[in-house]
Amino acid sequence: MSEFTDNEAIKSALLNEICPVHQKYSEIEISATGFKFRSCCKEFNTILTTKATQMATNQIKTSLINTFKNSLKR
């Protein structure tokens, strides 16, 4: 995990996701190495993993852009 990501925000957003096949929610834990998903099926795990990766990537990108912009202001 990264210091540039808000893992609780990612977890909160993912908790609202429903399996498109089984209409069930997943249980999500934050660990030192990432997220752990307990889902009803492998397909839903894949969807959640993809979304978590995209969200973390976007947060890191935004954080780095803001850091860069702030360093230029000095």
Side-chain angles (χ1 to χ4, degrees):
M1 301 306 287
S2 170
E3 65 185 65
F4 299 108
T5 58
D6 183 353
N7 298 328
E8 288 296 330
I10 294 172
K11 177 182 175 182
S12 179
L14 294 176
L15 284 172
N16 293 322
E17 295 290 327
I18 299 174
C19 176
V21 177
H22 303 105
Q23 305 302 310
K24 294 183 179 182
Y25 292 95
S26 178
E27 291 181 29
I28 303 170
E29 287 182 28
I30 300 173
S31 70
T33 58
F35 294 95
K36 292 183 181 180
F37 303 110
R38 283 191 220 102
S39 302
C40 54
C41 62
K42 186 175 181 178
E43 292 80 14
F44 191 37
N45 256 4
T46 302
I47 291 169
L48 292 173
T49 301
T50 301
K51 287 187 179 198
T53 302
Q54 288 176 327
M55 293 171 89
T57 301
N58 289 339
Q59 285 184 2
I60 291 169
K61 180 181 173 183
T62 301
S63 179
L64 291 174
I65 288 170
N66 290 337
T67 301
F68 183 68
K69 284 181 180 178
N70 289 337
S71 69
L72 291 176
K73 291 179 182 178
R74 293 181 187 169

